[in-house]
Amino acid sequence: NGSGKSTLARHLNGLLLPTQGDVWVKEWNTKDKLHLRPIRSTVSMVFQTPDNQIVATIVEEDIAFGPENLGVPRSEILQRVDWSLEQVEMQPFRHRAPHMLSGGQKQRICIAGVLAMQPEVIVFDESTAMLDPLGRKEVLAIAERLHREQGRTIVAITHFMNEALQADRVIVMSQGQIVMQGTPRQIFSQPERLHQLQLDVPPISQLANELHKRNPDFPGDVLTIEEFIEEIKRLRDWEIPQSPNLLIPQSPDLPLSPLISVRSLVHYYMRGTPLEVKALHGIDLDIKKGEIVGILGHTGSGKSTVVQHFNGLLRPHEGQVTVLGQEMSDPKADVKKTRQQVGLVFQFAESQLFEQYVGDDIAFGPRNLGLNREQVRVRVRKAMESVGLGFEEFKDRLTFRLSGGQMRRVALAGVLALEPEVLVLDEPTAGLDPQGRKKLLAHILDLHQAGTTLVMISHNMEELAEICDRLYVLADGKTVMQGTPAEIFAQPEQLHQIGLDVPPIMALFEQLVKQTIKNTALPFTVDQALYVLGQVP
């Protein structure tokens, strides 16, 4: 985060102009304003935050906006809108209002809007960050098909290392400079250098690197599942005993009564209007004191809508939501008290920030609790330190001059300053670089160790697999699966049917079991995989 990727991307179609040097698109210099129209017709960009790109009040009108401004005939515009919606599988939403869509659905609309303009170059700036795993694969498949069938050039800015594997060439930036470039194999065979740059290698490559350290005959530059399996076959026929105790840990001892209980929850958006949409069709879940619960589901499955009922931002239209003993459908429920007890960090956490200075933003909640100046200061210091922001270093910094990752941590600190009993995190690591994700997750786990109950929404299967005690899977506004990570990820076919995936390491071992290693457990982390392969005592 903050290395200059998005700034560089905005120079590729003249949204920004060089302070020094030149940017050429075909034969045009971006500094020449006479050529800005053909430059921007040649190079289109899908931005990191979808709300920055949506301009119309109806989905199909938003997609038509670009071709209309290019002077495309109406009959062709209609064809392009139909085709673009089909490419991102958003046909059922063409008459919906964009602001009523989920973050991932908005991103698909932005991608469709760019596809409708049919540019020669498409720049994707973290455009898959808010999508579910299969949604990411679909967008990458679209990009690959445009490249293969129509000769489009694709520039993809990403923090997902697996996405970078599909590139012809990878460019790594740090502090506004290009510091590495080469093929994916050349880049990912240097894990130590990538770690120095706050990056990581894909899980399959990470496992291969660890095996190479233990057995030099196993190559450390393996990139794909297929390559990994071939190397396993080449070395020897691995016969590994099953390790069920490793992969299905004992559930923690938890109290019988939940802190939050949801039963048959139904919620409508725009209720009583022609645009009424039934978002939740009957959700059931429990959150018990001291656990970490993960909520996952395809884009638009209702995850964010559910958690906004936990602190009274939304009220149940049908069913029951009980939060720390209060029934949230009761008009007399003490919502102010609930919001002190249940903290919610939104999907785009940066949107929660509003004060000019970091310290003032974090202090807003404690001040509204009526605490005195010294009590507020103590809480602000404690909250900042708990998310890795030095009090003296950051309290007087301008909030909106921070990097995306730093703003995410300020928003989290602002909620923590209320000292909630339950912390709900909606996609907390989306858009962060690999090391930034690890640091934020470490801070979140520290909060759990200190006694905070955690609820976490994420599309990152590895994150949920590693840290959660239990998972709930939502699909089309319903609870469809629940259990431990091992129990949930042991059902890959059902996950695929609802738009999800299993962690890459588990996907690897699924294939290993079919092709070479028999009777083994299915690990979902690198450490578990090393254990199963007999490389950890």
Side-chain angles (χ1 to χ4, degrees):
N1 290 109
S3 62
K5 305 181 299 298
S6 296
T7 302
L8 174 60
R10 282 166 169 75
H11 281 80
L12 301 184
N13 66 349
L15 287 174
L16 293 178
L17 300 179
T19 304
Q20 295 179 24
D22 296 285
V23 177
W24 295 86
V25 177
K26 292 185 171 178
E27 67 273 17
W28 306 306
N29 191 318
T30 59
K31 292 178 180 176
D32 187 346
K33 294 182 179 180
L34 292 175
H35 293 132
L36 277 182
R37 184 182 178 90
I39 286 171
R40 290 176 182 166
S41 297
T42 302
V43 183
S44 287
M45 187 168 177
V46 182
F47 292 101
Q48 191 169 14
T49 305
D51 288 329
N52 293 345
Q53 196 159 348
I54 293 173
V55 296
T57 56
I58 300 295
V59 164
E60 65 179 5
E61 292 177 1
D62 194 86
I63 296 171
F65 182 81
E68 285 174 348
N69 280 274
L70 294 176
V72 175
R74 176 176 171 77
S75 59
E76 187 177 341
I77 289 175
L78 295 175
Q79 292 177 358
R80 290 193 188 188
V81 169
D82 290 341
W83 177 81
S84 300
L85 281 168
E86 184 179 344
Q87 297 305 303
V88 297
E89 296 189 350
M90 288 293 287
Q91 304 98 314
F93 300 88
R94 66 184 305 146
H95 300 300
R96 292 274 289 275
H99 74 277
M100 300 301 297
L101 301 177
S102 71
Q105 289 170 329
K106 289 178 183 178
Q107 194 63 282
R108 290 182 185 226
I109 296 306
C110 293
I111 293 168
V114 165
L115 294 179
M117 291 188 286
Q118 299 186 353
E120 294 178 53
V121 181
I122 303 178
V123 181
F124 292 94
D125 185 2
E126 287 283 354
S127 53
T128 63
M130 302 308 302
L131 299 180
D132 57 56
L134 292 188
R136 286 201 294 269
K137 288 183 179 180
E138 289 164 3
V139 169
L140 292 175
I142 292 168
E144 196 276 332
R145 189 167 67 250
L146 291 169
H147 169 69
R148 183 183 68 249
E149 297 177 0
Q150 300 182 21
R152 308 288 170 87
T153 297
I154 306 295
V155 180
I157 297 172
T158 184
H159 286 139
F160 291 104
M161 300 299 107
N162 278 327
E163 292 184 3
L165 289 177
Q166 301 186 32
D168 299 315
R169 191 158 53 97
V170 177
I171 295 171
V172 181
M173 293 185 66
S174 178
Q175 298 181 339
Q177 295 181 316
I178 293 174
V179 292
M180 297 174 72
Q181 58 178 309
T183 65
R185 195 175 305 279
Q186 291 170 333
I187 296 298
F188 291 122
S189 63
Q190 304 177 63
E192 291 81 9
R193 176 65 174 141
L194 288 170
H195 290 153
Q196 291 172 1
L197 297 169
Q198 306 298 304
L199 297 176
D200 211 340
V201 296
I204 304 299
S205 298
Q206 186 181 347
L207 179 58
N209 281 318
E210 293 298 327
L211 288 175
H212 178 69
K213 292 176 185 177
R214 294 160 171 78
N215 181 357
D217 290 337
F218 195 97
D221 62 350
V222 169
L223 296 181
T224 67
I225 287 176
E226 293 74 21
E227 291 177 2
F228 195 101
I229 292 173
E230 287 305 311
E231 292 302 328
I232 290 285
K233 288 179 177 178
R234 179 181 65 82
L235 288 175
R236 61 188 177 94
D237 185 21
W238 296 58
E239 287 289 345
I240 310 298
Q242 197 164 4
S243 312
N245 292 335
L246 169 77
L247 303 181
I248 308 179
Q250 295 295 314
S251 297
D253 292 329
L254 297 171
L256 295 176
S257 58
L259 294 176
I260 299 174
S261 176
V262 178
R263 292 290 177 271
S264 304
L265 174 61
V266 173
H267 189 83
Y268 299 85
Y269 281 115
M270 306 291 285
R271 194 181 193 188
T273 75
L275 297 176
E276 180 179 294
V277 176
K278 192 175 184 179
L280 303 180
H281 297 258
I283 298 291
D284 294 287
L285 58 82
D286 289 323
I287 311 296
K288 296 184 178 180
K289 184 176 178 62
E291 66 178 343
I292 305 177
V293 174
I295 300 177
L296 61 157
H298 60 76
T299 301
S301 61
K303 304 181 298 296
S304 298
T305 304
V306 169
V307 299
Q308 288 178 47
H309 285 79
F310 291 179
N311 68 350
L313 286 175
L314 296 177
R315 299 295 189 100
H317 290 143
E318 299 173 26
Q320 288 184 313
V321 177
T322 307
V323 180
L324 288 96
Q326 288 202 89
E327 175 51 56
M328 300 311 294
S329 59
D330 183 353
K332 297 180 181 178
D334 187 348
V335 176
K336 182 176 181 180
K337 180 180 178 183
T338 300
R339 290 174 186 166
Q340 293 172 25
Q341 296 170 314
V342 181
L344 175 58
V345 181
F346 289 98
Q347 194 169 28
F348 298 105
E350 298 86 326
S351 301
Q352 290 178 238
L353 307 178
F354 55 90
E355 291 281 7
Q356 184 176 9
Y357 297 103
V358 167
D360 289 336
D361 202 283
I362 298 170
F364 181 82
R367 284 172 181 160
N368 279 275
L369 294 178
L371 302 181
N372 63 40
R373 182 181 179 88
E374 185 55 32
Q375 289 172 320
V376 169
R377 187 177 180 86
V378 168
R379 286 212 185 186
V380 170
R381 180 187 292 274
K382 181 180 177 182
M384 290 180 68
E385 291 175 351
S386 69
V387 297
L389 295 173
F391 179 74
E392 296 299 337
E393 181 184 356
F394 281 93
K395 68 180 176 65
D396 296 320
R397 294 272 289 273
L398 291 170
T399 306
F400 298 100
R401 294 286 181 88
L402 301 177
S403 72
Q406 289 170 336
M407 285 196 285
R408 189 80 50 89
R409 284 187 277 171
V410 171
L412 176 55
V415 173
L416 293 179
L418 293 170
E419 298 186 352
E421 188 170 346
V422 181
L423 180 62
V424 183
L425 301 149
D426 191 351
E427 293 281 358
T429 62
L432 298 184
D433 59 60
Q435 294 302 318
R437 281 201 297 269
K438 287 181 179 178
K439 289 176 182 177
L440 184 57
L441 284 175
H443 294 312
I444 290 170
L445 289 175
D446 287 342
L447 296 172
H448 178 251
Q449 290 293 321
T452 305
T453 299
L454 298 177
V455 181
M456 184 164 155
I457 294 174
S458 180
H459 284 139
N460 190 314
M461 301 296 106
E462 299 100 288
E463 283 181 0
L464 296 177
E466 287 187 33
I467 73 170
C468 290
D469 300 311
R470 290 189 304 118
L471 300 176
Y472 284 95
V473 182
L474 307 188
D476 300 321
K478 300 176 183 177
T479 305
V480 294
M481 300 171 70
Q482 59 177 300
T484 65
E487 292 166 345
I488 297 298
F489 292 126
Q491 305 174 65
E493 291 183 5
Q494 189 171 348
L495 290 170
H496 291 153
Q497 288 173 2
I498 56 179
L500 298 177
D501 210 345
V502 297
I505 294 296
M506 180 172 273
L508 166 65
F509 273 76
E510 282 185 273
Q511 295 302 314
L512 283 173
V513 167
K514 292 177 182 177
Q515 297 188 42
T516 177
I517 301 177
K518 308 301 179 185
N519 302 319
T520 186
L522 296 178
F524 40 78
T525 70
V526 170
D527 289 342
Q528 290 176 352
L530 291 170
Y531 185 95
V532 170
L533 291 171
Q535 300 303 306
V536 176

